[in-house]
Short mmCIF file of all heavy atoms in Angstrom, two decimals:
data_model
loop_
_atom_site.label_atom_id
_atom_site.label_comp_id
_atom_site.label_asym_id
_atom_site.label_seq_id
_atom_site.Cartn_x
_atom_site.Cartn_y
_atom_site.Cartn_z
N MET A 1 85.36 97.68 79.26
CA MET A 1 85.14 96.42 79.92
C MET A 1 86.48 95.74 80.13
O MET A 1 87.28 95.65 79.22
CB MET A 1 84.22 95.57 79.04
CG MET A 1 83.75 94.31 79.70
SD MET A 1 82.71 94.69 81.06
CE MET A 1 81.27 93.79 80.70
N ASN A 2 86.73 95.27 81.32
CA ASN A 2 88.01 94.65 81.60
C ASN A 2 87.95 93.13 81.54
O ASN A 2 88.90 92.47 81.90
CB ASN A 2 88.55 95.12 82.95
CG ASN A 2 87.69 94.67 84.10
OD1 ASN A 2 86.66 94.04 83.91
ND2 ASN A 2 88.09 95.00 85.30
N GLY A 3 86.86 92.57 81.14
CA GLY A 3 86.76 91.13 80.98
C GLY A 3 86.57 90.37 82.28
O GLY A 3 86.87 89.19 82.35
N MET A 4 86.11 91.03 83.32
CA MET A 4 85.91 90.36 84.60
C MET A 4 84.76 89.38 84.47
O MET A 4 83.66 89.74 84.06
CB MET A 4 85.62 91.37 85.70
CG MET A 4 85.50 90.76 87.09
SD MET A 4 85.18 91.99 88.36
CE MET A 4 86.82 92.62 88.59
N GLY A 5 85.02 88.14 84.78
CA GLY A 5 84.00 87.11 84.66
C GLY A 5 83.05 87.10 85.84
O GLY A 5 83.15 87.91 86.75
N GLY A 6 82.14 86.14 85.83
CA GLY A 6 81.14 86.05 86.87
C GLY A 6 81.71 85.74 88.23
O GLY A 6 81.22 86.22 89.25
N ALA A 7 82.79 84.95 88.28
CA ALA A 7 83.36 84.57 89.56
C ALA A 7 84.01 85.76 90.27
O ALA A 7 84.03 85.82 91.49
CB ALA A 7 84.39 83.46 89.37
N GLU A 8 84.56 86.69 89.51
CA GLU A 8 85.20 87.85 90.11
C GLU A 8 84.24 89.00 90.35
O GLU A 8 84.51 89.89 91.15
CB GLU A 8 86.35 88.34 89.22
CG GLU A 8 87.51 87.37 89.13
CD GLU A 8 87.33 86.33 88.05
OE1 GLU A 8 86.35 86.45 87.28
OE2 GLU A 8 88.13 85.40 87.98
N ALA A 9 83.13 89.03 89.65
CA ALA A 9 82.18 90.13 89.78
C ALA A 9 81.45 90.10 91.12
O ALA A 9 81.17 91.15 91.70
CB ALA A 9 81.17 90.11 88.64
N GLY A 10 81.16 88.93 91.63
CA GLY A 10 80.44 88.81 92.90
C GLY A 10 81.16 89.46 94.06
O GLY A 10 80.59 90.29 94.78
N PRO A 11 82.44 89.12 94.28
CA PRO A 11 83.17 89.77 95.37
C PRO A 11 83.34 91.28 95.16
O PRO A 11 83.35 92.04 96.13
CB PRO A 11 84.54 89.07 95.36
CG PRO A 11 84.27 87.74 94.76
CD PRO A 11 83.19 87.97 93.75
N ALA A 12 83.47 91.73 93.91
CA ALA A 12 83.61 93.17 93.66
C ALA A 12 82.33 93.90 94.03
O ALA A 12 82.37 94.99 94.60
CB ALA A 12 83.97 93.41 92.20
N VAL A 13 81.18 93.30 93.72
CA VAL A 13 79.90 93.92 94.07
C VAL A 13 79.73 93.94 95.59
O VAL A 13 79.32 94.95 96.16
CB VAL A 13 78.73 93.18 93.40
CG1 VAL A 13 77.40 93.63 93.96
CG2 VAL A 13 78.78 93.37 91.90
N PHE A 14 80.08 92.85 96.24
CA PHE A 14 79.96 92.78 97.70
C PHE A 14 80.87 93.81 98.37
O PHE A 14 80.43 94.58 99.23
CB PHE A 14 80.31 91.38 98.21
CG PHE A 14 80.27 91.26 99.70
CD1 PHE A 14 79.06 91.21 100.37
CD2 PHE A 14 81.45 91.24 100.44
CE1 PHE A 14 79.02 91.12 101.76
CE2 PHE A 14 81.42 91.15 101.82
CZ PHE A 14 80.21 91.09 102.48
N ALA A 15 82.14 93.85 97.96
CA ALA A 15 83.09 94.79 98.55
C ALA A 15 82.66 96.23 98.28
O ALA A 15 82.72 97.08 99.17
CB ALA A 15 84.49 94.54 98.01
N GLY A 16 82.23 96.52 97.05
CA GLY A 16 81.79 97.87 96.72
C GLY A 16 80.60 98.30 97.56
O GLY A 16 80.54 99.43 98.04
N THR A 17 79.66 97.39 97.75
CA THR A 17 78.48 97.70 98.55
C THR A 17 78.85 97.96 100.00
O THR A 17 78.37 98.92 100.62
CB THR A 17 77.47 96.54 98.47
OG1 THR A 17 77.13 96.32 97.09
CG2 THR A 17 76.22 96.84 99.26
N VAL A 18 79.73 97.13 100.56
CA VAL A 18 80.15 97.32 101.95
C VAL A 18 80.88 98.64 102.12
O VAL A 18 80.61 99.40 103.06
CB VAL A 18 81.03 96.14 102.41
CG1 VAL A 18 81.70 96.43 103.74
CG2 VAL A 18 80.21 94.86 102.49
N PHE A 19 81.80 98.95 101.20
CA PHE A 19 82.55 100.20 101.30
C PHE A 19 81.62 101.41 101.20
O PHE A 19 81.75 102.37 101.97
CB PHE A 19 83.61 100.28 100.21
CG PHE A 19 84.82 99.43 100.46
CD1 PHE A 19 85.48 98.82 99.40
CD2 PHE A 19 85.32 99.24 101.72
CE1 PHE A 19 86.59 98.04 99.61
CE2 PHE A 19 86.44 98.46 101.95
CZ PHE A 19 87.08 97.86 100.89
N VAL A 20 80.70 101.39 100.24
CA VAL A 20 79.81 102.54 100.06
C VAL A 20 78.88 102.70 101.26
O VAL A 20 78.69 103.82 101.75
CB VAL A 20 79.01 102.39 98.74
CG1 VAL A 20 77.86 103.37 98.68
CG2 VAL A 20 79.93 102.59 97.55
N LEU A 21 78.32 101.61 101.75
CA LEU A 21 77.41 101.71 102.90
C LEU A 21 78.15 102.18 104.16
O LEU A 21 77.66 103.06 104.88
CB LEU A 21 76.73 100.37 103.17
CG LEU A 21 75.66 99.96 102.17
CD1 LEU A 21 75.15 98.56 102.49
CD2 LEU A 21 74.52 100.95 102.18
N PHE A 22 79.32 101.62 104.42
CA PHE A 22 80.04 102.01 105.63
C PHE A 22 80.56 103.44 105.51
O PHE A 22 80.48 104.21 106.47
CB PHE A 22 81.20 101.04 105.92
CG PHE A 22 81.84 101.30 107.24
CD1 PHE A 22 81.23 100.90 108.41
CD2 PHE A 22 83.05 101.97 107.32
CE1 PHE A 22 81.82 101.16 109.64
CE2 PHE A 22 83.64 102.23 108.54
CZ PHE A 22 83.03 101.83 109.71
N GLY A 23 81.11 103.80 104.36
CA GLY A 23 81.60 105.16 104.17
C GLY A 23 80.48 106.19 104.28
O GLY A 23 80.64 107.23 104.91
N GLY A 24 79.35 105.90 103.66
CA GLY A 24 78.21 106.81 103.75
C GLY A 24 77.68 106.93 105.16
O GLY A 24 77.36 108.03 105.63
N ALA A 25 77.60 105.80 105.85
CA ALA A 25 77.13 105.83 107.24
C ALA A 25 78.09 106.60 108.13
O ALA A 25 77.66 107.36 109.01
CB ALA A 25 76.95 104.40 107.76
N LEU A 26 79.38 106.43 107.90
CA LEU A 26 80.37 107.17 108.70
C LEU A 26 80.25 108.67 108.46
O LEU A 26 80.30 109.47 109.41
CB LEU A 26 81.78 106.69 108.37
CG LEU A 26 82.93 107.34 109.14
CD1 LEU A 26 82.79 107.09 110.63
CD2 LEU A 26 84.26 106.80 108.63
N LEU A 27 80.05 109.08 107.23
CA LEU A 27 79.89 110.50 106.93
C LEU A 27 78.60 111.06 107.54
O LEU A 27 78.59 112.16 108.10
CB LEU A 27 79.92 110.74 105.43
CG LEU A 27 81.29 110.57 104.76
CD1 LEU A 27 81.15 110.68 103.26
CD2 LEU A 27 82.27 111.60 105.29
N LEU A 28 77.51 110.31 107.43
CA LEU A 28 76.25 110.76 108.03
C LEU A 28 76.34 110.86 109.55
O LEU A 28 75.87 111.82 110.15
CB LEU A 28 75.11 109.82 107.63
CG LEU A 28 74.63 109.92 106.19
CD1 LEU A 28 73.62 108.81 105.90
CD2 LEU A 28 74.00 111.28 105.95
N TRP A 29 76.94 109.85 110.16
CA TRP A 29 77.08 109.84 111.62
C TRP A 29 77.96 111.00 112.08
O TRP A 29 77.63 111.69 113.05
CB TRP A 29 77.67 108.50 112.07
CG TRP A 29 77.85 108.39 113.54
CD1 TRP A 29 76.90 108.10 114.47
CD2 TRP A 29 79.07 108.60 114.26
NE1 TRP A 29 77.46 108.09 115.73
CE2 TRP A 29 78.79 108.40 115.62
CE3 TRP A 29 80.36 108.91 113.88
CZ2 TRP A 29 79.76 108.51 116.59
CZ3 TRP A 29 81.33 109.03 114.86
CH2 TRP A 29 81.02 108.83 116.21
N THR A 30 79.07 111.22 111.38
CA THR A 30 79.96 112.33 111.73
C THR A 30 79.24 113.66 111.59
O THR A 30 79.36 114.53 112.46
CB THR A 30 81.22 112.30 110.85
OG1 THR A 30 81.86 111.03 111.00
CG2 THR A 30 82.18 113.40 111.23
N GLY A 31 78.50 113.82 110.50
CA GLY A 31 77.75 115.06 110.31
C GLY A 31 76.73 115.28 111.40
O GLY A 31 76.55 116.41 111.88
N ALA A 32 76.04 114.23 111.80
CA ALA A 32 75.04 114.36 112.87
C ALA A 32 75.69 114.72 114.20
O ALA A 32 75.17 115.55 114.96
CB ALA A 32 74.26 113.05 113.01
N ARG A 33 76.85 114.11 114.49
CA ARG A 33 77.55 114.41 115.75
C ARG A 33 78.02 115.87 115.75
O ARG A 33 77.91 116.56 116.77
CB ARG A 33 78.74 113.48 115.94
CG ARG A 33 78.37 112.01 116.04
CD ARG A 33 77.62 111.68 117.28
NE ARG A 33 78.49 111.73 118.43
CZ ARG A 33 78.09 111.50 119.67
NH1 ARG A 33 76.84 111.18 119.91
NH2 ARG A 33 78.92 111.58 120.66
N LEU A 34 78.55 116.31 114.61
CA LEU A 34 79.03 117.70 114.54
C LEU A 34 77.89 118.70 114.62
O LEU A 34 78.02 119.75 115.25
CB LEU A 34 79.83 117.90 113.25
CG LEU A 34 81.16 117.17 113.16
CD1 LEU A 34 81.76 117.33 111.78
CD2 LEU A 34 82.11 117.67 114.24
N ARG A 35 76.76 118.38 114.00
CA ARG A 35 75.61 119.28 114.03
C ARG A 35 75.08 119.46 115.45
O ARG A 35 74.62 120.54 115.82
CB ARG A 35 74.50 118.73 113.13
CG ARG A 35 73.40 119.73 112.86
CD ARG A 35 72.36 119.26 111.87
NE ARG A 35 72.86 118.35 110.85
CZ ARG A 35 72.49 117.06 110.74
NH1 ARG A 35 71.62 116.55 111.57
NH2 ARG A 35 72.99 116.30 109.78
N HIS A 36 75.14 118.40 116.25
CA HIS A 36 74.66 118.48 117.63
C HIS A 36 75.73 118.96 118.61
O HIS A 36 75.47 119.08 119.81
CB HIS A 36 74.13 117.12 118.08
CG HIS A 36 72.85 116.75 117.42
ND1 HIS A 36 72.79 115.99 116.28
CD2 HIS A 36 71.57 117.08 117.72
CE1 HIS A 36 71.54 115.84 115.91
NE2 HIS A 36 70.77 116.50 116.77
N GLY A 37 76.94 119.17 118.12
CA GLY A 37 78.01 119.62 118.99
C GLY A 37 78.57 118.52 119.88
O GLY A 37 79.26 118.81 120.86
N ALA A 38 78.27 117.28 119.57
CA ALA A 38 78.75 116.16 120.36
C ALA A 38 80.13 115.72 119.84
O ALA A 38 80.45 115.94 118.68
CB ALA A 38 77.77 114.99 120.26
N PRO A 39 80.92 115.10 120.70
CA PRO A 39 82.24 114.66 120.25
C PRO A 39 82.11 113.50 119.24
O PRO A 39 81.23 112.67 119.35
CB PRO A 39 82.93 114.19 121.53
CG PRO A 39 81.83 113.89 122.48
CD PRO A 39 80.70 114.81 122.12
N VAL A 40 83.01 113.49 118.27
CA VAL A 40 83.00 112.42 117.27
C VAL A 40 83.66 111.18 117.85
O VAL A 40 83.22 110.06 117.60
CB VAL A 40 83.72 112.89 115.99
CG1 VAL A 40 83.82 111.77 114.98
CG2 VAL A 40 82.98 114.07 115.38
N ALA A 41 84.72 111.36 118.64
CA ALA A 41 85.41 110.24 119.29
C ALA A 41 85.74 110.65 120.72
O ALA A 41 86.24 111.75 120.96
CB ALA A 41 86.67 109.88 118.53
N ASP A 42 85.48 109.77 121.66
CA ASP A 42 85.79 110.06 123.06
C ASP A 42 87.30 110.05 123.28
O ASP A 42 88.01 109.18 122.79
CB ASP A 42 85.15 109.02 123.98
CG ASP A 42 83.65 109.20 124.08
OD1 ASP A 42 83.18 110.34 123.89
OD2 ASP A 42 82.95 108.21 124.35
N GLY A 43 87.77 111.05 123.99
CA GLY A 43 89.18 111.11 124.35
C GLY A 43 90.09 111.66 123.26
O GLY A 43 91.30 111.64 123.41
N ALA A 44 89.53 112.12 122.16
CA ALA A 44 90.33 112.69 121.08
C ALA A 44 89.95 114.14 120.89
O ALA A 44 88.87 114.57 121.29
CB ALA A 44 90.11 111.91 119.80
N GLY A 45 90.83 114.87 120.25
CA GLY A 45 90.53 116.27 119.96
C GLY A 45 89.37 116.36 118.99
O GLY A 45 89.27 115.56 118.06
N PRO A 46 88.46 117.33 119.19
CA PRO A 46 87.27 117.40 118.34
C PRO A 46 87.59 117.66 116.87
O PRO A 46 86.98 117.06 115.99
CB PRO A 46 86.45 118.52 118.93
CG PRO A 46 87.32 119.23 119.88
CD PRO A 46 88.46 118.35 120.23
N LEU A 47 88.56 118.51 116.59
CA LEU A 47 88.90 118.81 115.21
C LEU A 47 89.58 117.62 114.53
O LEU A 47 89.23 117.23 113.41
CB LEU A 47 89.79 120.04 115.13
CG LEU A 47 90.19 120.47 113.72
CD1 LEU A 47 88.95 120.82 112.90
CD2 LEU A 47 91.15 121.63 113.77
N ALA A 48 90.55 117.03 115.21
CA ALA A 48 91.27 115.89 114.63
C ALA A 48 90.35 114.71 114.38
O ALA A 48 90.43 114.07 113.32
CB ALA A 48 92.41 115.48 115.56
N SER A 49 89.47 114.41 115.32
CA SER A 49 88.58 113.27 115.14
C SER A 49 87.58 113.51 114.01
O SER A 49 87.27 112.60 113.24
CB SER A 49 87.86 112.92 116.44
OG SER A 49 87.07 114.00 116.87
N ALA A 50 87.10 114.73 113.89
CA ALA A 50 86.16 115.04 112.81
C ALA A 50 86.85 114.97 111.45
O ALA A 50 86.30 114.41 110.49
CB ALA A 50 85.55 116.43 113.02
N VAL A 51 88.05 115.52 111.35
CA VAL A 51 88.78 115.49 110.09
C VAL A 51 89.09 114.05 109.69
O VAL A 51 88.91 113.67 108.52
CB VAL A 51 90.07 116.34 110.20
CG1 VAL A 51 90.98 116.09 109.02
CG2 VAL A 51 89.71 117.81 110.30
N LEU A 52 89.55 113.25 110.62
CA LEU A 52 89.87 111.86 110.30
C LEU A 52 88.62 111.06 109.91
O LEU A 52 88.66 110.24 108.98
CB LEU A 52 90.57 111.18 111.47
CG LEU A 52 92.04 111.55 111.64
CD1 LEU A 52 92.60 110.95 112.93
CD2 LEU A 52 92.85 111.11 110.45
N ALA A 53 87.51 111.29 110.60
CA ALA A 53 86.29 110.57 110.26
C ALA A 53 85.79 110.95 108.87
O ALA A 53 85.39 110.08 108.09
CB ALA A 53 85.21 110.85 111.31
N VAL A 54 85.83 112.22 108.54
CA VAL A 54 85.41 112.66 107.21
C VAL A 54 86.37 112.11 106.15
O VAL A 54 85.94 111.65 105.09
CB VAL A 54 85.32 114.20 107.14
CG1 VAL A 54 85.17 114.68 105.72
CG2 VAL A 54 84.16 114.68 108.00
N PHE A 55 87.66 112.15 106.43
CA PHE A 55 88.65 111.63 105.49
C PHE A 55 88.42 110.15 105.20
O PHE A 55 88.36 109.73 104.04
CB PHE A 55 90.07 111.85 106.03
CG PHE A 55 91.13 111.20 105.20
CD1 PHE A 55 91.50 111.74 103.98
CD2 PHE A 55 91.74 110.04 105.63
CE1 PHE A 55 92.47 111.14 103.20
CE2 PHE A 55 92.72 109.43 104.87
CZ PHE A 55 93.09 109.99 103.64
N PHE A 56 88.29 109.34 106.23
CA PHE A 56 88.11 107.91 106.02
C PHE A 56 86.75 107.58 105.42
O PHE A 56 86.62 106.63 104.66
CB PHE A 56 88.36 107.12 107.32
CG PHE A 56 89.82 106.99 107.62
CD1 PHE A 56 90.38 107.66 108.68
CD2 PHE A 56 90.64 106.22 106.82
CE1 PHE A 56 91.73 107.56 108.95
CE2 PHE A 56 91.99 106.10 107.08
CZ PHE A 56 92.54 106.77 108.16
N GLY A 57 85.73 108.36 105.75
CA GLY A 57 84.43 108.16 105.10
C GLY A 57 84.51 108.40 103.60
O GLY A 57 83.99 107.63 102.79
N ALA A 58 85.21 109.46 103.22
CA ALA A 58 85.38 109.76 101.80
C ALA A 58 86.24 108.71 101.10
O ALA A 58 85.95 108.30 99.97
CB ALA A 58 86.01 111.15 101.63
N VAL A 59 87.29 108.25 101.77
CA VAL A 59 88.14 107.20 101.19
C VAL A 59 87.33 105.92 100.97
O VAL A 59 87.46 105.27 99.93
CB VAL A 59 89.37 106.94 102.09
CG1 VAL A 59 90.10 105.66 101.70
CG2 VAL A 59 90.33 108.12 102.03
N LEU A 60 86.50 105.56 101.93
CA LEU A 60 85.68 104.36 101.78
C LEU A 60 84.67 104.50 100.65
O LEU A 60 84.43 103.55 99.90
CB LEU A 60 84.98 104.03 103.09
CG LEU A 60 85.91 103.49 104.18
CD1 LEU A 60 85.20 103.48 105.52
CD2 LEU A 60 86.40 102.11 103.83
N LEU A 61 84.07 105.68 100.52
CA LEU A 61 83.15 105.90 99.40
C LEU A 61 83.88 105.77 98.07
O LEU A 61 83.37 105.15 97.12
CB LEU A 61 82.50 107.28 99.50
CG LEU A 61 81.31 107.40 100.43
CD1 LEU A 61 80.84 108.85 100.47
CD2 LEU A 61 80.19 106.50 100.01
N LEU A 62 85.06 106.35 97.97
CA LEU A 62 85.83 106.25 96.73
C LEU A 62 86.25 104.81 96.44
O LEU A 62 86.26 104.38 95.28
CB LEU A 62 87.05 107.16 96.80
CG LEU A 62 86.76 108.65 96.71
CD1 LEU A 62 88.04 109.45 96.94
CD2 LEU A 62 86.14 109.00 95.38
N ALA A 63 86.60 104.06 97.49
CA ALA A 63 86.95 102.65 97.29
C ALA A 63 85.75 101.86 96.77
O ALA A 63 85.90 100.99 95.91
CB ALA A 63 87.46 102.05 98.60
N GLY A 64 84.57 102.16 97.28
CA GLY A 64 83.37 101.49 96.79
C GLY A 64 83.08 101.82 95.34
O GLY A 64 82.75 100.94 94.54
N VAL A 65 83.23 103.08 94.98
CA VAL A 65 83.02 103.48 93.59
C VAL A 65 84.05 102.81 92.69
O VAL A 65 83.73 102.34 91.60
CB VAL A 65 83.07 105.02 93.46
CG1 VAL A 65 83.11 105.45 92.01
CG2 VAL A 65 81.88 105.64 94.17
N TRP A 66 85.29 102.73 93.16
CA TRP A 66 86.34 102.07 92.39
C TRP A 66 85.99 100.59 92.16
O TRP A 66 86.18 100.07 91.07
CB TRP A 66 87.68 102.20 93.09
CG TRP A 66 88.79 101.55 92.34
CD1 TRP A 66 89.47 102.05 91.28
CD2 TRP A 66 89.33 100.24 92.59
NE1 TRP A 66 90.40 101.14 90.85
CE2 TRP A 66 90.34 100.02 91.64
CE3 TRP A 66 89.06 99.24 93.53
CZ2 TRP A 66 91.08 98.86 91.58
CZ3 TRP A 66 89.79 98.08 93.49
CH2 TRP A 66 90.78 97.89 92.54
N CYS A 67 85.48 99.93 93.19
CA CYS A 67 85.08 98.51 93.05
C CYS A 67 83.98 98.38 91.98
O CYS A 67 84.00 97.43 91.19
CB CYS A 67 84.59 97.95 94.37
SG CYS A 67 85.88 97.61 95.57
N PHE A 68 83.04 99.30 91.97
CA PHE A 68 81.97 99.21 90.99
C PHE A 68 82.45 99.51 89.58
O PHE A 68 81.89 99.00 88.61
CB PHE A 68 80.81 100.14 91.36
CG PHE A 68 80.02 99.67 92.56
CD1 PHE A 68 79.71 100.54 93.58
CD2 PHE A 68 79.60 98.36 92.65
CE1 PHE A 68 78.99 100.11 94.68
CE2 PHE A 68 78.88 97.92 93.75
CZ PHE A 68 78.57 98.79 94.75
N THR A 69 83.49 100.32 89.43
CA THR A 69 84.02 100.58 88.09
C THR A 69 84.81 99.41 87.56
O THR A 69 85.09 99.35 86.38
CB THR A 69 84.91 101.85 88.07
OG1 THR A 69 86.03 101.63 88.92
CG2 THR A 69 84.13 103.07 88.49
N ARG A 70 85.19 98.47 88.41
CA ARG A 70 85.95 97.31 87.99
C ARG A 70 85.07 96.24 87.37
O ARG A 70 85.57 95.24 86.88
CB ARG A 70 86.72 96.69 89.16
CG ARG A 70 87.61 97.62 89.91
CD ARG A 70 88.93 97.99 89.27
NE ARG A 70 88.83 98.22 87.86
CZ ARG A 70 89.72 98.84 87.09
NH1 ARG A 70 90.79 99.28 87.62
NH2 ARG A 70 89.56 99.00 85.83
N LEU A 71 83.77 96.42 87.40
CA LEU A 71 82.86 95.40 86.88
C LEU A 71 82.86 95.36 85.38
O LEU A 71 82.89 96.09 84.59
CB LEU A 71 81.44 95.63 87.39
CG LEU A 71 81.30 95.47 88.89
CD1 LEU A 71 79.88 95.80 89.31
CD2 LEU A 71 81.65 94.07 89.32
#
């Protein structure tokens, strides 16, 4: 326990929830686009856009988990 009080716990829960939801949604959306053979981003290379989307989705999920461990 790091001694985080009630005033600091609220923003950590909010930020963690936003990060986890957005990261998870980005990973699901990217997976659905790749499964259908559709481009992940218009005007970008298919491999680069898929790699970047998966990378940032994973980073956002990890950031959300980190926020929850700070409670």
Side-chain angles (χ1 to χ4, degrees):
M1 189 66 125
N2 65 358
M4 184 179 280
E8 293 86 7
V13 169
F14 177 75
T17 303
V18 169
F19 284 145
V20 167
L21 288 175
F22 187 76
L26 181 60
L27 288 174
L28 286 173
W29 180 80
T30 303
R33 298 292 287 179
L34 291 173
R35 192 174 329 114
H36 288 94
V40 176
D42 287 334
L47 181 61
S49 61
V51 168
L52 283 174
V54 168
F55 173 75
F56 283 110
V59 167
L60 288 168
L61 279 177
L62 289 174
V65 170
W66 180 81
C67 286
F68 289 132
T69 63
R70 306 283 41 164
L71 295 177

